[in-house]
Amino acid sequence: MTQTCPPWLLAANWKMNMDHLQTLEFIRELSILMPEKEAENSGVEMAIFPPFTSLRTAQVFSTSYQVALSLGAQDVSPHPSGAFTGEVSASMLARLGCKYVLVGHSESRKNHHETREELVGKAKNAIASQMTPILCVGEEEKGGEGMEEICSQAEEVFCDLGKEEREKVIVSYEPVWAIGSSVTASPQRISRAASALKADLFKKFGASPRILYGGSVNEGNIESLKGLGLGGFLVGRASLSPAEFTAIFRCLEKGKGLA
Ligand code: PEP
């Protein structure tokens, strides 16, 4: 099944923040700031990626408060089921209404020492459960060129996916040095990275994935990041406040569509 979404995807990576009660409060506030009808006709799809323990709350209360929110998970097991203590399978996430799954976020890569095979397994299992993997790639160092590094991170997952699977992957460019740092990559660098990823993945695999940017996006800088040929943004810290998340949404809504 091919998943479709509006011109912009605004994805909130909450990391290890927001227990289920805080999630409920976030959704209640969002329902006041953002009437469902406005969100539905906005050309912006909002998605939250809470911790696993808050997913059910987000699923139930976004429906009961009538908030137009998609759901995503921050990680997924590379295995379909079985004796994997502490892991959560793709089918479990899909049954909780998740549409998206982050794969290879730099914090997971570093903290869990994820292997290439695990990243491929995560993406494949997500797709098999009708979810869209958001594959995160990003260079470690601020100073270097970095384009080869990000292309090879994407290639090493794409090369083990089938043609139809590749069409379902979203790629998020997230320079590691920009995450949680208050400094975004420059618009030129983001543009260059998006073009490099698109050209490389098309040349090698015939794939044309949607490209997101993540790394210290907030309401103060979103305007300057809109016109770069991106399909959306992955937002960490600034997504924890309903007011700031709404401000970012409104800035994208004004622009309507891929610039
Ligand atoms: C992230 O962790 O994906 C992220 C983009 O975080 P922040 O916006 O806080 O830099």
Side-chain angles (χ1 to χ4, degrees):
M1 190 183 81
T2 305
Q3 304 258 19
T4 54
C5 56
W8 293 112
L9 173 60
L10 177 58
N13 176 15
W14 285 356
K15 313 191 187 201
M16 200 171 68
N17 298 295
M18 308 289 265
D19 65 26
H20 69 290
L21 297 174
Q22 293 167 312
T23 299
L24 167 54
E25 183 53 21
F26 181 99
I27 289 172
R28 194 190 65 75
E29 283 184 44
L30 204 61
S31 72
I32 297 164
L33 293 164
M34 177 74 56
E36 187 176 37
K37 286 240 156 2
E38 179 186 345
E40 274 174 1
N41 301 318
S42 64
V44 184
E45 177 183 8
M46 285 188 294
I48 57 169
F49 293 67
F52 292 134
T53 51
S54 296
L55 280 170
R56 177 69 178 150
T57 300
Q59 182 193 29
V60 169
F61 287 96
S62 56
T63 304
S64 61
Y65 278 108
Q66 301 188 318
V67 182
L69 265 185
S70 298
L71 268 188
Q74 296 174 21
D75 200 359
V76 64
S77 174
H79 310 287
S81 64
F84 299 100
T85 302
E87 299 192 26
V88 176
S89 74
S91 61
M92 291 169 182
L93 296 172
R95 291 205 69 182
L96 279 168
C98 287
K99 180 174 173 187
Y100 299 105
V101 175
L102 298 184
V103 172
H105 188 280
S106 60
E107 288 153 13
S108 317
R109 285 180 191 258
K110 180 164 166 245
N111 297 334
H112 304 146
H113 310 287
E114 290 173 309
T115 63
R116 190 190 78 80
E117 289 72 21
E118 284 169 336
L119 297 178
V120 170
K122 289 176 185 204
K124 278 186 177 285
N125 278 307
I127 293 165
S129 289
Q130 320 302 328
M131 295 184 292
T132 299
I134 300 181
L135 175 65
C136 302
V137 299
E139 75 278 11
E140 291 281 337
E141 301 295 332
K142 187 173 183 183
E145 171 52 26
M147 300 300 129
E148 268 182 37
E149 192 178 342
I150 60 171
C151 289
S152 81
Q153 286 171 4
E155 282 171 30
E156 65 181 23
V157 173
F158 271 70
C159 72
D160 271 355
L161 300 180
K163 185 175 179 311
E164 286 186 8
E165 289 173 323
R166 287 176 193 140
E167 283 165 13
K168 293 179 179 145
V169 179
I170 291 176
V171 177
S172 189
Y173 169 54
E174 301 213 303
V176 177
W177 51 267
I179 293 178
S181 71
S182 312
V183 181
T184 59
S186 67
Q188 295 79 352
R189 190 174 184 101
I190 297 170
S191 234
R192 206 163 67 244
S195 303
L197 284 164
K198 281 184 193 165
D200 185 64
L201 294 173
F202 188 75
K203 186 169 159 219
K204 303 233 163 82
F205 308 107
S208 307
R210 167 182 280 235
I211 311 284
L212 313 183
Y213 168 75
S216 296
V217 172
N218 59 38
E219 65 179 312
N221 57 34
I222 184 70
E223 185 69 47
S224 68
L225 304 176
K226 270 177 15 180
L228 306 175
L230 297 163
F233 298 90
L234 186 54
V235 185
R237 257 172 322 166
S239 71
L240 295 171
S241 144
E244 183 153 18
F245 193 51
T246 305
I248 297 171
F249 167 90
R250 290 205 198 289
C251 180
L252 292 178
E253 183 191 29
K254 268 197 282 149
K256 290 243 167 113
L258 289 168

mmCIF file of all heavy atoms in Angstrom, residues 160-188:
data_model
loop_
_atom_site.group_PDB
_atom_site.id
_atom_site.type_symbol
_atom_site.label_atom_id
_atom_site.label_comp_id
_atom_site.label_asym_id
_atom_site.label_seq_id
_atom_site.Cartn_x
_atom_site.Cartn_y
_atom_site.Cartn_z
ATOM 1 N N ASP A 160 19.516 -2.961 0.093
ATOM 2 C CA ASP A 160 18.914 -4.239 0.458
ATOM 3 C C ASP A 160 17.389 -4.206 0.427
ATOM 4 O O ASP A 160 16.732 -5.128 0.912
ATOM 5 C CB ASP A 160 19.391 -4.688 1.850
ATOM 6 C CG ASP A 160 20.662 -5.519 1.736
ATOM 7 O OD1 ASP A 160 21.084 -5.804 0.593
ATOM 8 O OD2 ASP A 160 21.229 -5.875 2.783
ATOM 9 N N LEU A 161 16.830 -3.127 -0.097
ATOM 10 C CA LEU A 161 15.369 -3.066 -0.216
ATOM 11 C C LEU A 161 14.975 -3.372 -1.657
ATOM 12 O O LEU A 161 15.728 -3.096 -2.593
ATOM 13 C CB LEU A 161 14.860 -1.657 0.145
ATOM 14 C CG LEU A 161 15.163 -1.145 1.556
ATOM 15 C CD1 LEU A 161 14.577 0.257 1.737
ATOM 16 C CD2 LEU A 161 14.615 -2.090 2.629
ATOM 17 N N GLY A 162 13.781 -3.930 -1.820
ATOM 18 C CA GLY A 162 13.265 -4.155 -3.168
ATOM 19 C C GLY A 162 12.762 -2.842 -3.762
ATOM 20 O O GLY A 162 12.633 -1.842 -3.052
ATOM 21 N N LYS A 163 12.451 -2.871 -5.036
ATOM 22 C CA LYS A 163 12.030 -1.658 -5.744
ATOM 23 C C LYS A 163 10.791 -1.025 -5.060
ATOM 24 O O LYS A 163 10.762 0.172 -4.798
ATOM 25 C CB LYS A 163 11.711 -2.030 -7.196
ATOM 26 C CG LYS A 163 11.385 -0.859 -8.073
ATOM 27 C CD LYS A 163 11.193 -1.308 -9.518
ATOM 28 C CE LYS A 163 10.837 -0.172 -10.452
ATOM 29 N NZ LYS A 163 9.783 0.700 -10.021
ATOM 30 N N GLU A 164 9.814 -1.855 -4.767
ATOM 31 C CA GLU A 164 8.582 -1.305 -4.171
ATOM 32 C C GLU A 164 8.839 -0.796 -2.755
ATOM 33 O O GLU A 164 8.248 0.193 -2.323
ATOM 34 C CB GLU A 164 7.484 -2.358 -4.139
ATOM 35 C CG GLU A 164 6.919 -2.585 -5.520
ATOM 36 C CD GLU A 164 5.716 -3.508 -5.528
ATOM 37 O OE1 GLU A 164 5.216 -3.859 -4.437
ATOM 38 O OE2 GLU A 164 5.318 -3.886 -6.639
ATOM 39 N N GLU A 165 9.728 -1.464 -2.037
ATOM 40 C CA GLU A 165 10.049 -1.007 -0.675
ATOM 41 C C GLU A 165 10.727 0.369 -0.727
ATOM 42 O O GLU A 165 10.415 1.253 0.077
ATOM 43 C CB GLU A 165 10.971 -2.014 0.014
ATOM 44 C CG GLU A 165 10.285 -3.321 0.384
ATOM 45 C CD GLU A 165 11.253 -4.376 0.920
ATOM 46 O OE1 GLU A 165 12.395 -4.465 0.416
ATOM 47 O OE2 GLU A 165 10.864 -5.129 1.813
ATOM 48 N N ARG A 166 11.625 0.536 -1.682
ATOM 49 C CA ARG A 166 12.344 1.823 -1.781
ATOM 50 C C ARG A 166 11.391 2.989 -1.978
ATOM 51 O O ARG A 166 11.625 4.089 -1.501
ATOM 52 C CB ARG A 166 13.323 1.781 -2.961
ATOM 53 C CG ARG A 166 14.528 0.917 -2.687
ATOM 54 C CD ARG A 166 15.413 0.849 -3.930
ATOM 55 N NE ARG A 166 16.388 -0.203 -3.773
ATOM 56 C CZ ARG A 166 16.777 -1.043 -4.736
ATOM 57 N NH1 ARG A 166 16.271 -0.944 -5.959
ATOM 58 N NH2 ARG A 166 17.660 -1.969 -4.489
ATOM 59 N N GLU A 167 10.315 2.734 -2.689
ATOM 60 C CA GLU A 167 9.367 3.824 -2.964
ATOM 61 C C GLU A 167 8.641 4.269 -1.703
ATOM 62 O O GLU A 167 8.012 5.314 -1.688
ATOM 63 C CB GLU A 167 8.341 3.362 -4.008
ATOM 64 C CG GLU A 167 8.927 3.370 -5.409
ATOM 65 C CD GLU A 167 8.081 2.578 -6.408
ATOM 66 O OE1 GLU A 167 6.933 2.235 -6.073
ATOM 67 O OE2 GLU A 167 8.614 2.315 -7.495
ATOM 68 N N LYS A 168 8.717 3.475 -0.663
ATOM 69 C CA LYS A 168 7.954 3.808 0.552
ATOM 70 C C LYS A 168 8.790 4.506 1.613
ATOM 71 O O LYS A 168 8.279 4.891 2.655
ATOM 72 C CB LYS A 168 7.339 2.541 1.112
ATOM 73 C CG LYS A 168 6.295 2.055 0.131
ATOM 74 C CD LYS A 168 5.612 0.810 0.530
ATOM 75 C CE LYS A 168 4.587 0.496 -0.568
ATOM 76 N NZ LYS A 168 4.427 -0.912 -0.801
ATOM 77 N N VAL A 169 10.075 4.680 1.354
ATOM 78 C CA VAL A 169 10.959 5.243 2.386
ATOM 79 C C VAL A 169 11.038 6.773 2.265
ATOM 80 O O VAL A 169 11.132 7.308 1.156
ATOM 81 C CB VAL A 169 12.384 4.644 2.252
ATOM 82 C CG1 VAL A 169 13.328 5.234 3.290
ATOM 83 C CG2 VAL A 169 12.331 3.129 2.379
ATOM 84 N N ILE A 170 10.979 7.441 3.400
ATOM 85 C CA ILE A 170 11.276 8.878 3.471
ATOM 86 C C ILE A 170 12.678 8.993 4.054
ATOM 87 O O ILE A 170 13.053 8.208 4.933
ATOM 88 C CB ILE A 170 10.259 9.597 4.382
ATOM 89 C CG1 ILE A 170 8.870 9.609 3.727
ATOM 90 C CG2 ILE A 170 10.702 11.023 4.711
ATOM 91 C CD1 ILE A 170 7.769 10.206 4.602
ATOM 92 N N VAL A 171 13.466 9.949 3.565
ATOM 93 C CA VAL A 171 14.819 10.145 4.111
ATOM 94 C C VAL A 171 14.857 11.484 4.839
ATOM 95 O O VAL A 171 14.398 12.494 4.310
ATOM 96 C CB VAL A 171 15.880 10.124 2.982
ATOM 97 C CG1 VAL A 171 17.273 10.411 3.542
ATOM 98 C CG2 VAL A 171 15.871 8.766 2.266
ATOM 99 N N SER A 172 15.364 11.477 6.058
ATOM 100 C CA SER A 172 15.495 12.734 6.799
ATOM 101 C C SER A 172 16.973 13.076 6.956
ATOM 102 O O SER A 172 17.737 12.299 7.542
ATOM 103 C CB SER A 172 14.825 12.613 8.173
ATOM 104 O OG SER A 172 14.784 13.888 8.784
ATOM 105 N N TYR A 173 17.337 14.231 6.413
ATOM 106 C CA TYR A 173 18.725 14.702 6.550
ATOM 107 C C TYR A 173 18.852 15.402 7.900
ATOM 108 O O TYR A 173 18.214 16.432 8.138
ATOM 109 C CB TYR A 173 19.056 15.662 5.412
ATOM 110 C CG TYR A 173 20.368 16.394 5.616
ATOM 111 C CD1 TYR A 173 21.551 15.697 5.850
ATOM 112 C CD2 TYR A 173 20.422 17.793 5.585
ATOM 113 C CE1 TYR A 173 22.745 16.359 6.062
ATOM 114 C CE2 TYR A 173 21.621 18.466 5.783
ATOM 115 C CZ TYR A 173 22.779 17.743 6.023
ATOM 116 O OH TYR A 173 23.967 18.402 6.240
ATOM 117 N N GLU A 174 19.654 14.812 8.776
ATOM 118 C CA GLU A 174 19.812 15.356 10.122
ATOM 119 C C GLU A 174 21.283 15.399 10.495
ATOM 120 O O GLU A 174 21.808 14.404 11.044
ATOM 121 C CB GLU A 174 19.089 14.457 11.129
ATOM 122 C CG GLU A 174 17.616 14.311 10.870
ATOM 123 C CD GLU A 174 16.881 14.170 12.182
ATOM 124 O OE1 GLU A 174 17.185 13.261 12.953
ATOM 125 O OE2 GLU A 174 16.022 15.020 12.450
ATOM 126 N N PRO A 175 21.969 16.495 10.198
ATOM 127 C CA PRO A 175 23.376 16.569 10.584
ATOM 128 C C PRO A 175 23.499 16.367 12.098
ATOM 129 O O PRO A 175 22.802 17.039 12.868
ATOM 130 C CB PRO A 175 23.801 17.987 10.196
ATOM 131 C CG PRO A 175 22.638 18.634 9.533
ATOM 132 C CD PRO A 175 21.448 17.742 9.648
ATOM 133 N N VAL A 176 24.367 15.455 12.497
ATOM 134 C CA VAL A 176 24.445 15.096 13.917
ATOM 135 C C VAL A 176 24.803 16.326 14.754
ATOM 136 O O VAL A 176 24.260 16.530 15.847
ATOM 137 C CB VAL A 176 25.479 13.955 14.102
ATOM 138 C CG1 VAL A 176 25.644 13.591 15.571
ATOM 139 C CG2 VAL A 176 25.050 12.724 13.306
ATOM 140 N N TRP A 177 25.671 17.175 14.211
ATOM 141 C CA TRP A 177 26.125 18.350 14.957
ATOM 142 C C TRP A 177 25.026 19.408 15.125
ATOM 143 O O TRP A 177 25.152 20.304 15.957
ATOM 144 C CB TRP A 177 27.363 18.972 14.280
ATOM 145 C CG TRP A 177 27.178 19.215 12.805
ATOM 146 C CD1 TRP A 177 27.513 18.380 11.781
ATOM 147 C CD2 TRP A 177 26.596 20.372 12.187
ATOM 148 N NE1 TRP A 177 27.181 18.935 10.572
ATOM 149 C CE2 TRP A 177 26.622 20.164 10.792
ATOM 150 C CE3 TRP A 177 26.069 21.572 12.679
ATOM 151 C CZ2 TRP A 177 26.131 21.097 9.876
ATOM 152 C CZ3 TRP A 177 25.577 22.509 11.766
ATOM 153 C CH2 TRP A 177 25.618 22.258 10.392
ATOM 154 N N ALA A 178 23.965 19.291 14.334
ATOM 155 C CA ALA A 178 22.898 20.300 14.427
ATOM 156 C C ALA A 178 21.781 19.866 15.383
ATOM 157 O O ALA A 178 20.985 20.694 15.833
ATOM 158 C CB ALA A 178 22.305 20.568 13.050
ATOM 159 N N ILE A 179 21.744 18.562 15.701
ATOM 160 C CA ILE A 179 20.654 18.063 16.548
ATOM 161 C C ILE A 179 20.844 18.529 17.986
ATOM 162 O O ILE A 179 21.909 18.348 18.575
ATOM 163 C CB ILE A 179 20.583 16.518 16.477
ATOM 164 C CG1 ILE A 179 20.164 16.095 15.073
ATOM 165 C CG2 ILE A 179 19.620 15.959 17.513
ATOM 166 C CD1 ILE A 179 20.100 14.609 14.863
ATOM 167 N N GLY A 180 19.814 19.165 18.502
ATOM 168 C CA GLY A 180 19.826 19.616 19.896
ATOM 169 C C GLY A 180 20.874 20.672 20.183
ATOM 170 O O GLY A 180 21.270 20.856 21.333
ATOM 171 N N SER A 181 21.321 21.395 19.149
ATOM 172 C CA SER A 181 22.468 22.279 19.346
ATOM 173 C C SER A 181 22.122 23.764 19.294
ATOM 174 O O SER A 181 22.952 24.598 19.556
ATOM 175 C CB SER A 181 23.488 22.021 18.231
ATOM 176 O OG SER A 181 22.974 22.526 17.021
ATOM 177 N N SER A 182 20.913 24.098 18.879
ATOM 178 C CA SER A 182 20.485 25.480 18.621
ATOM 179 C C SER A 182 21.034 26.037 17.322
ATOM 180 O O SER A 182 20.806 27.206 17.009
ATOM 181 C CB SER A 182 20.859 26.448 19.751
ATOM 182 O OG SER A 182 20.505 25.920 20.971
ATOM 183 N N VAL A 183 21.807 25.254 16.582
ATOM 184 C CA VAL A 183 22.353 25.747 15.307
ATOM 185 C C VAL A 183 21.826 24.848 14.192
ATOM 186 O O VAL A 183 22.066 23.645 14.196
ATOM 187 C CB VAL A 183 23.898 25.648 15.286
ATOM 188 C CG1 VAL A 183 24.461 26.168 13.980
ATOM 189 C CG2 VAL A 183 24.487 26.384 16.460
ATOM 190 N N THR A 184 21.122 25.424 13.235
ATOM 191 C CA THR A 184 20.690 24.603 12.092
ATOM 192 C C THR A 184 21.809 24.599 11.062
ATOM 193 O O THR A 184 22.673 25.478 11.055
ATOM 194 C CB THR A 184 19.446 25.183 11.379
ATOM 195 O OG1 THR A 184 19.757 26.481 10.940
ATOM 196 C CG2 THR A 184 18.234 25.192 12.268
ATOM 197 N N ALA A 185 21.742 23.614 10.169
ATOM 198 C CA ALA A 185 22.623 23.684 8.997
ATOM 199 C C ALA A 185 22.168 24.885 8.170
ATOM 200 O O ALA A 185 21.010 25.289 8.249
ATOM 201 C CB ALA A 185 22.496 22.393 8.198
ATOM 202 N N SER A 186 23.082 25.449 7.379
ATOM 203 C CA SER A 186 22.689 26.612 6.569
ATOM 204 C C SER A 186 21.724 26.148 5.481
ATOM 205 O O SER A 186 21.770 24.984 5.055
ATOM 206 C CB SER A 186 23.918 27.234 5.925
ATOM 207 O OG SER A 186 24.450 26.319 4.976
ATOM 208 N N PRO A 187 20.875 27.050 5.000
ATOM 209 C CA PRO A 187 19.974 26.674 3.905
ATOM 210 C C PRO A 187 20.745 26.105 2.716
ATOM 211 O O PRO A 187 20.295 25.147 2.083
ATOM 212 C CB PRO A 187 19.285 27.994 3.546
ATOM 213 C CG PRO A 187 19.316 28.782 4.813
ATOM 214 C CD PRO A 187 20.601 28.405 5.516
ATOM 215 N N GLN A 188 21.927 26.656 2.415
ATOM 216 C CA GLN A 188 22.715 26.147 1.279
ATOM 217 C C GLN A 188 23.124 24.705 1.512
ATOM 218 O O GLN A 188 23.076 23.875 0.608
ATOM 219 C CB GLN A 188 23.994 26.988 1.080
ATOM 220 C CG GLN A 188 23.771 28.427 0.674
ATOM 221 C CD GLN A 188 23.371 29.335 1.860
ATOM 222 O OE1 GLN A 188 23.105 28.891 2.980
ATOM 223 N NE2 GLN A 188 23.299 30.621 1.589
#
